[in-house]
Amino acid sequence: METVKQIRIPVIADSVLSPDFFYGDNTGIYFVTDDDQYGRITFENLDSVKICRGEVMPYKVDYSLGDRGTWVYQVENSKWQQERFNYENRYYGKSYEFGGDVNEMLTDFKHYLFSFHDQFIEVIARGFWFEKSESSLFGKKLMDGHPFLPLPEDAAERITAHSLTSQIRKNPKPKAQLVADAQFCSQKIYEFALELDGTATVDHTLLLSYRTGKLVSTLRGYFGRRGVEFDGFASLEQVIPLVENYMGEVYERRRFL
């Protein structure tokens, strides 16, 4: 049975004005906020979207919890999400786009619903993030601190292994904030950038997220494939041996160039 869970975010959409949905660079929902500013919702690994007219919620919501002003929801036991999984598994099961594991559509992705005055926008994605500004965000770059942006390079540490050097770029946000923000989308804890021929390229990222309600840290490679998974908030000491092993593989390949 499909049920709807409220999601509270600090950005509140205007209760009358309709939003704009843009598909392209910075795909997302653009809207006016309840205090006459501008908001934007962007998505992590957007799979699919549908937009429908209507004022009556298409799913039953238990308002006994209060907070009728909530406008963001998660549809649990989603039939649409199951349909999308069945399709992807049937036709692209062994070559799935987001990390190569089609089962992530059931364990990592969610069916979100964004409710406006006379319109609903439903999305299947790995997660979403919200922004707010005094001026319109349409066509603008992601704001500083957005989880989808690269981590800062200026304070990067370095490790050396197998005669190679890798940068360790750390997320400056406090651990408690990263854990709290992971309920909305994956949060980068560390990025590892191997220095080769005068250029540093990120080859591994340690991400913090919730999988079926459980907090996990996942080391992903350059193409997003899921590598090793750790329970909870992984430490740098847990990850470095894996990165050094990769550096050894690169060293061996370069020996024969």
Side-chain angles (χ1 to χ4, degrees):
M1 177 179 178
E2 292 179 307
T3 58
V4 177
K5 179 175 69 176
Q6 296 170 307
I7 301 176
R8 295 178 175 85
I9 66 173
V11 180
I12 308 299
D14 183 88
S15 60
V16 175
L17 298 176
S18 296
D20 291 314
F21 188 93
F22 175 75
Y23 190 87
D25 291 338
N26 295 335
T27 293
I29 306 171
Y30 293 77
F31 56 95
V32 176
T33 65
D34 65 342
D35 54 358
D36 296 321
Q37 296 194 52
Y38 297 86
R40 175 169 61 185
I41 300 289
T42 44
F43 300 101
E44 178 186 11
N45 294 150
L46 174 67
D47 174 80
S48 48
V49 59
K50 57 182 177 181
I51 302 173
C52 302
R53 188 178 72 86
E55 297 182 57
V56 179
M57 176 67 73
Y59 304 95
K60 184 177 181 180
V61 183
D62 182 4
Y63 287 115
S64 64
L65 300 176
D67 196 1
R68 284 181 173 268
T70 299
W71 64 287
V72 183
Y73 304 85
Q74 178 185 339
V75 181
E76 299 183 314
N77 301 313
S78 165
K79 296 178 182 178
W80 182 33
Q81 187 174 356
Q82 184 66 50
E83 289 172 358
R84 288 292 305 126
F85 167 77
N86 292 342
Y87 177 88
E88 291 287 338
N89 187 45
R90 180 177 179 180
Y91 295 107
Y92 306 105
K94 295 183 180 180
S95 58
Y96 182 62
E97 180 179 2
F98 301 123
D101 183 1
V102 69
N103 292 302
E104 289 184 357
M105 288 199 68
L106 298 178
T107 60
D108 294 44
F109 282 60
K110 298 178 180 66
H111 176 179
Y112 297 107
L113 183 147
F114 301 86
S115 174
F116 294 89
H117 174 64
D118 56 0
Q119 192 174 45
F120 299 102
I121 299 179
E122 297 182 61
V123 168
I124 294 176
R126 192 185 296 271
F128 72 90
W129 192 250
F130 43 84
E131 299 167 277
K132 183 177 179 180
S133 174
E134 293 181 355
S135 58
S136 173
L137 291 168
F138 188 81
K140 302 290 181 63
K141 295 181 179 179
L142 301 179
M143 298 176 70
D144 289 346
H146 196 293
F148 303 165
L149 290 173
L151 296 181
E153 303 177 32
D154 50 356
E157 300 179 5
R158 285 171 170 79
I159 57 172
T160 299
H162 307 282
S163 302
L164 298 176
T165 300
S166 178
Q167 296 179 7
I168 304 175
R169 303 172 184 174
K170 181 181 179 181
N171 196 319
K173 295 181 181 180
K175 177 179 177 180
Q177 183 177 351
L178 292 175
V179 172
D181 291 346
Q183 66 182 302
F184 304 113
C185 68
S186 300
Q187 303 293 312
K188 296 176 181 176
I189 304 175
Y190 293 105
E191 285 181 331
F192 300 88
L194 190 60
E195 297 179 351
L196 293 174
D197 305 321
T199 302
T201 303
V202 174
D203 50 72
H204 284 85
T205 303
L206 183 65
L207 293 163
L208 185 70
S209 62
Y210 281 92
R211 177 171 296 120
T212 60
K214 177 183 176 183
L215 185 67
V216 296
S217 300
T218 307
L219 186 66
R220 290 186 177 271
Y222 180 79
F223 292 104
R225 290 188 179 277
R226 188 166 71 197
V228 179
E229 183 176 298
F230 305 89
D231 290 337
F233 197 105
S235 67
L236 186 60
E237 291 72 20
Q238 289 175 285
V239 179
I240 282 183
L242 301 172
V243 175
E244 291 180 337
N245 183 63
Y246 169 77
M247 294 168 70
E249 294 173 356
V250 174
Y251 172 78
E252 291 298 325
R253 289 197 299 268
R254 288 173 64 87
R255 286 177 59 194
F256 299 100
L257 293 179

